[in-house]
Amino acid sequence: MKSDLVLGIESSCDETAASVLKGPREILSNVVASQIPIHRRFGGVVPELASRQHLLSIDTVISQAMGQASCRFEDLGGVAVTYGPGLIGSLLVGIQVAKGICFAHKLPMAAVNHLEGHIRSLSLEHSSVPLPALFLVVSGGHTSLYLARREETGYERLARTRDDAAGEAYDKAAKFLGLGYPGGPIIDRLARHGDPRAFAFSVPRMSDGSLDFSFSGLKTALLRHVEAAGLKPLAFLESDGPEPGPGDCPKPMLDLLASFQEAIARTLMERTLRAARETRAAAIGLVGGVACNTRLRALMAEEAARHGIPVLMTRPQLTTDNAAMIAQAGFEHLVRGELADETLNAEPSAVL
Ligand code: KG4
Ligand code: ZN
């Protein structure tokens, strides 16, 4: 690499993001343009609107990231871009722009898997991750456990969700209850004011003993509780105003949200700790948007400490989608000489 500066570009879902990273962990800039206001009234991401908005924002986002880092394209050692998984139209915007920059400035390009990016986000704040390490990748699209035994051997997937992702369960619940979008952060805040023992949710287990996750049953249980308690949805999806506060929700709704959140956090924690024990993991990494959840963070840290296993997390800004994590993973690819070329295509269902 002719320089240790890497431009990261991320556009796999509803965030247009660019970041300049110096070396493995010095973040010179980290710009994220969120599309939340555009998708909010639909209670979820609308793919056509997302790709259109990426097209409108990406030049500005990259200019801002380069400007804040006082960096010119010719100063870069390479460009890292997310190639999948994600929405095809959204991914293509980032990929085409990355190709253009690399072609114009004769720079090497690294193609990064979005999930690898989430895992590598830990290296932005931790100088080393003890191996073997177990990673819980928990976001709007994914809920998986990966094991890294050695630096060279990559990631082995130990579990995935068989239906909804944990973030999807949060988002669907918030949509159903008319609380707004995305549901995770809203429910996280409201749940603090409720009683997590008020409503019964069973922690789902696989009959075949597998470590896989399943969240659709929790969603169905939530719907049943809503009906039984006679709860009516609020009207925060349609409004562009502030998010609901505890005063906007009847007490049973706060209790229901707290109980729902507790069930998700416990499921994630129990399954992760079982996997950590089975694999004798030296550390647990908690990454992806849902890893911002305050209850999950506390529960995981508490239970892992009882087993003497350190839990690595990052600040929320690096936990949800961002391009610094893509630049970090890309930096490692570029150092190893793993380069992509102009034939790079989007892979909406890329696996790690
Ligand atoms: O990693 P991310 O930004 O995008 C994907 O790759 O999906 O994750 C977004 C997901 C959304 O489902 C959102 O509701 C959830 O992360 N999320 C949270 C919290 N903050 C974001 N879920 C629970 N608690 C939070 N505090
Ligand atoms: Zn993500």
Side-chain angles (χ1 to χ4, degrees):
M1 270 170 90
K2 78 174 181 2
S3 117
D4 63 353
L5 294 169
V6 174
L7 168 67
I9 299 174
E10 155 65 40
S11 67
S12 65
C13 191
D14 61 343
E15 256 101 30
T16 320
S19 163
V20 178
L21 191 68
K22 182 172 166 46
R25 63 184 61 88
E26 193 184 338
I27 302 172
L28 301 186
S29 61
N30 187 19
V31 179
V32 181
S34 166
Q35 301 182 0
I36 287 173
I38 293 168
H39 302 291
R40 187 160 142 171
R41 66 200 156 97
F42 303 101
V45 179
V46 183
E48 290 77 8
L49 297 182
S51 27
R52 194 184 156 74
Q53 193 56 38
H54 283 303
L55 269 179
L56 294 173
S57 314
I58 197 145
D59 284 350
T60 316
V61 167
I62 291 176
S63 303
Q64 283 175 353
M66 296 294 285
Q68 286 173 19
S70 303
C71 182
R72 298 165 307 168
F73 287 123
E74 46 272 39
D75 302 329
L76 292 171
V79 176
V81 65
T82 308
Y83 72 92
L87 301 169
I88 186 154
S90 295
L91 289 164
L92 282 170
V93 175
I95 291 175
Q96 296 307 341
V97 171
K99 281 185 191 174
I101 296 171
C102 290
F103 179 75
H105 301 277
K106 299 190 172 49
L107 292 168
M109 180 168 64
V112 175
N113 182 300
H114 182 78
L115 305 179
E116 182 193 1
H118 274 302
I119 291 175
R120 297 300 314 190
S121 69
L122 294 172
S123 299
L124 294 166
E125 291 195 340
H126 302 274
S127 53
S128 73
V129 177
L131 297 176
L134 180 73
F135 301 100
L136 173 64
V137 182
V138 65
S139 69
H142 299 269
T143 305
S144 304
L145 284 167
Y146 289 93
L147 182 69
R149 292 182 198 276
R150 283 188 299 277
E151 203 68 63
E152 328 74 68
T153 52
Y155 305 100
E156 181 191 339
R157 192 174 71 185
L158 302 182
R160 63 183 172 83
T161 176
R162 297 214 179 155
D163 39 58
D164 292 351
E168 203 177 342
Y170 270 106
D171 295 340
K172 285 181 178 168
K175 182 176 181 181
F176 181 72
L177 292 168
L179 299 173
Y181 172 83
I186 300 173
I187 293 180
D188 191 351
R189 273 194 300 277
L190 294 174
R192 283 171 217 163
H193 304 272
D195 174 3
R197 290 171 308 268
F199 286 85
F201 283 95
S202 55
V203 169
R205 284 192 183 79
M206 291 298 136
S207 52
D208 57 5
S210 130
L211 286 164
D212 280 353
F213 299 96
S214 164
F215 291 101
S216 67
L218 283 182
K219 195 179 58 191
T220 316
L222 179 95
L223 302 188
R224 271 205 312 272
H225 284 313
V226 168
E227 254 174 46
L231 288 169
K232 296 275 165 289
L234 306 183
F236 284 86
L237 266 185
E238 298 80 28
S239 90
D240 283 332
E243 288 177 353
D248 298 312
C249 305
K251 180 73 169 77
M253 190 181 281
L254 295 172
D255 290 344
L256 183 60
L257 295 175
S259 306
F260 178 70
Q261 165 157 286
E262 188 67 16
I264 295 181
R266 284 212 167 266
T267 306
L268 294 169
M269 181 277 289
E270 283 180 10
R271 212 59 54 83
T272 306
L273 277 180
R274 195 182 114 202
R277 284 195 305 273
E278 285 176 9
T279 57
R280 298 175 182 278
I284 292 172
L286 195 53
V287 301
V290 181
C292 288
N293 187 262
T294 46
R295 182 62 189 138
L296 176 63
R297 284 182 173 237
L299 192 61
M300 195 72 96
E302 198 180 297
E303 290 294 321
R306 292 203 307 128
H307 291 85
I309 307 173
V311 180
L312 308 183
M313 311 179 224
T314 62
R315 69 188 116 121
Q317 219 188 349
L318 299 174
T319 305
T320 49
D321 285 353
N322 66 86
M325 68 186 196
I326 303 303
Q328 206 298 326
F331 175 82
E332 307 291 342
H333 287 215
L334 292 164
V335 167
R336 292 196 298 264
E338 293 166 15
L339 306 183
D341 62 22
E342 68 286 354
T343 62
L344 178 66
N345 206 349
E347 283 185 42
S349 311
V351 286
L352 180 65

Short mmCIF file of all heavy atoms in Angstrom, two decimals, residues 4 12 22 41 151 168 182 197 201 204 231 238 258 287-288 316 324 333 335 342:
data_model
loop_
_atom_site.label_atom_id
_atom_site.label_comp_id
_atom_site.label_asym_id
_atom_site.label_seq_id
_atom_site.Cartn_x
_atom_site.Cartn_y
_atom_site.Cartn_z
N ASP A 4 -1.22 4.55 4.27
CA ASP A 4 -2.09 3.78 5.18
C ASP A 4 -3.45 4.44 5.36
O ASP A 4 -4.15 4.18 6.33
CB ASP A 4 -1.40 3.54 6.53
CG ASP A 4 -1.12 4.83 7.28
OD1 ASP A 4 -1.34 5.92 6.69
OD2 ASP A 4 -0.70 4.75 8.45
N SER A 12 -25.26 -0.41 2.01
CA SER A 12 -25.98 -1.67 1.79
C SER A 12 -27.46 -1.59 2.14
O SER A 12 -28.26 -2.35 1.63
CB SER A 12 -25.33 -2.80 2.59
OG SER A 12 -25.44 -2.55 3.96
N LYS A 22 -7.01 5.91 9.12
CA LYS A 22 -5.54 5.90 8.99
C LYS A 22 -5.03 4.70 9.77
O LYS A 22 -5.26 4.60 10.98
CB LYS A 22 -4.97 7.19 9.58
CG LYS A 22 -3.46 7.32 9.45
CD LYS A 22 -3.03 8.73 9.88
CE LYS A 22 -1.54 8.83 10.11
NZ LYS A 22 -0.70 8.23 9.07
N ARG A 41 -42.38 6.65 7.71
CA ARG A 41 -43.84 6.47 7.66
C ARG A 41 -44.24 5.11 7.10
O ARG A 41 -45.39 4.70 7.19
CB ARG A 41 -44.51 7.62 6.91
CG ARG A 41 -44.19 7.71 5.46
CD ARG A 41 -44.49 9.12 4.97
NE ARG A 41 -43.71 9.42 3.80
CZ ARG A 41 -44.17 9.32 2.57
NH1 ARG A 41 -45.41 8.92 2.36
NH2 ARG A 41 -43.41 9.59 1.55
N GLU A 151 -6.41 -16.17 13.25
CA GLU A 151 -6.46 -15.00 12.38
C GLU A 151 -6.66 -15.41 10.92
O GLU A 151 -7.47 -14.82 10.20
CB GLU A 151 -5.14 -14.22 12.55
CG GLU A 151 -5.21 -12.75 12.17
CD GLU A 151 -6.07 -11.94 13.13
OE1 GLU A 151 -5.75 -11.83 14.32
OE2 GLU A 151 -7.09 -11.42 12.65
N GLU A 168 -35.28 -7.05 13.32
CA GLU A 168 -36.54 -7.09 12.57
C GLU A 168 -37.71 -7.27 13.56
O GLU A 168 -38.77 -6.66 13.38
CB GLU A 168 -36.45 -8.30 11.65
CG GLU A 168 -37.31 -8.29 10.44
CD GLU A 168 -37.02 -9.56 9.61
OE1 GLU A 168 -35.96 -10.22 9.79
OE2 GLU A 168 -37.88 -9.88 8.79
N PRO A 182 -36.64 3.46 13.35
CA PRO A 182 -36.56 2.03 13.63
C PRO A 182 -36.97 1.72 15.07
O PRO A 182 -36.77 2.53 15.97
CB PRO A 182 -35.08 1.70 13.40
CG PRO A 182 -34.36 2.99 13.57
CD PRO A 182 -35.31 4.10 13.26
N ARG A 197 -41.12 -8.32 34.07
CA ARG A 197 -41.74 -9.60 34.51
C ARG A 197 -43.25 -9.59 34.34
O ARG A 197 -43.94 -10.55 34.68
CB ARG A 197 -41.38 -9.87 35.98
CG ARG A 197 -39.91 -10.22 36.21
CD ARG A 197 -39.59 -10.26 37.68
NE ARG A 197 -40.04 -9.02 38.32
CZ ARG A 197 -39.26 -7.94 38.49
NH1 ARG A 197 -38.02 -7.98 38.12
NH2 ARG A 197 -39.75 -6.83 39.05
N PHE A 201 -43.14 -14.34 28.24
CA PHE A 201 -42.63 -14.70 26.90
C PHE A 201 -41.68 -15.86 27.13
O PHE A 201 -40.78 -15.76 27.97
CB PHE A 201 -41.82 -13.55 26.28
CG PHE A 201 -42.65 -12.44 25.72
CD1 PHE A 201 -42.93 -11.32 26.50
CD2 PHE A 201 -43.15 -12.49 24.43
CE1 PHE A 201 -43.68 -10.28 25.99
CE2 PHE A 201 -43.91 -11.45 23.92
CZ PHE A 201 -44.18 -10.33 24.70
N PRO A 204 -37.36 -18.95 23.10
CA PRO A 204 -37.47 -20.05 22.13
C PRO A 204 -36.23 -20.94 22.08
O PRO A 204 -35.10 -20.43 22.13
CB PRO A 204 -37.67 -19.33 20.79
CG PRO A 204 -37.25 -17.92 21.02
CD PRO A 204 -37.29 -17.64 22.48
N LEU A 231 -54.75 -3.43 24.03
CA LEU A 231 -53.91 -2.25 23.74
C LEU A 231 -54.16 -1.74 22.32
O LEU A 231 -54.26 -2.53 21.38
CB LEU A 231 -52.44 -2.60 23.91
CG LEU A 231 -51.96 -2.78 25.34
CD1 LEU A 231 -50.57 -3.40 25.38
CD2 LEU A 231 -51.98 -1.44 26.06
N GLU A 238 -46.99 7.82 11.57
CA GLU A 238 -47.36 8.82 10.57
C GLU A 238 -46.79 10.19 10.89
O GLU A 238 -46.66 11.04 10.02
CB GLU A 238 -48.89 8.95 10.47
CG GLU A 238 -49.62 7.68 10.03
CD GLU A 238 -49.81 6.67 11.16
OE1 GLU A 238 -49.87 7.10 12.32
OE2 GLU A 238 -49.83 5.46 10.88
N ALA A 258 -41.09 -3.90 27.90
CA ALA A 258 -40.00 -4.34 28.77
C ALA A 258 -39.89 -5.87 28.77
O ALA A 258 -38.79 -6.43 28.72
CB ALA A 258 -40.21 -3.81 30.19
N VAL A 287 -21.76 -7.28 18.13
CA VAL A 287 -21.75 -6.27 17.05
C VAL A 287 -23.08 -6.21 16.29
O VAL A 287 -23.88 -7.14 16.37
CB VAL A 287 -20.60 -6.55 16.03
CG1 VAL A 287 -19.25 -6.52 16.73
CG2 VAL A 287 -20.80 -7.88 15.32
N GLY A 288 -23.28 -5.13 15.52
CA GLY A 288 -24.51 -4.94 14.75
C GLY A 288 -25.46 -4.05 15.53
O GLY A 288 -25.35 -3.92 16.76
N PRO A 316 -21.95 3.07 20.43
CA PRO A 316 -23.11 2.88 19.53
C PRO A 316 -22.88 3.39 18.11
O PRO A 316 -23.32 2.76 17.15
CB PRO A 316 -24.22 3.68 20.23
CG PRO A 316 -23.86 3.62 21.67
CD PRO A 316 -22.36 3.62 21.73
N ALA A 324 -16.64 3.30 8.81
CA ALA A 324 -15.33 3.11 9.45
C ALA A 324 -15.05 1.61 9.58
O ALA A 324 -13.92 1.15 9.39
CB ALA A 324 -15.31 3.80 10.82
N HIS A 333 -7.67 -6.27 4.25
CA HIS A 333 -7.63 -6.92 2.93
C HIS A 333 -6.48 -6.33 2.10
O HIS A 333 -5.73 -7.05 1.44
CB HIS A 333 -8.92 -6.67 2.14
CG HIS A 333 -10.11 -7.43 2.63
ND1 HIS A 333 -11.08 -7.92 1.79
CD2 HIS A 333 -10.50 -7.76 3.87
CE1 HIS A 333 -12.02 -8.53 2.50
NE2 HIS A 333 -11.68 -8.44 3.77
N VAL A 335 -3.78 -4.78 3.07
CA VAL A 335 -2.47 -5.17 3.61
C VAL A 335 -2.11 -6.58 3.14
O VAL A 335 -0.98 -6.89 2.78
CB VAL A 335 -2.46 -5.08 5.16
CG1 VAL A 335 -1.25 -5.77 5.75
CG2 VAL A 335 -2.53 -3.62 5.60
N GLU A 342 -12.50 -4.41 -11.50
CA GLU A 342 -13.67 -3.72 -12.07
C GLU A 342 -14.83 -4.67 -12.34
O GLU A 342 -15.94 -4.22 -12.63
CB GLU A 342 -13.26 -2.94 -13.34
CG GLU A 342 -12.86 -3.77 -14.57
CD GLU A 342 -11.46 -4.42 -14.44
OE1 GLU A 342 -10.75 -4.14 -13.46
OE2 GLU A 342 -11.12 -5.23 -15.32
#
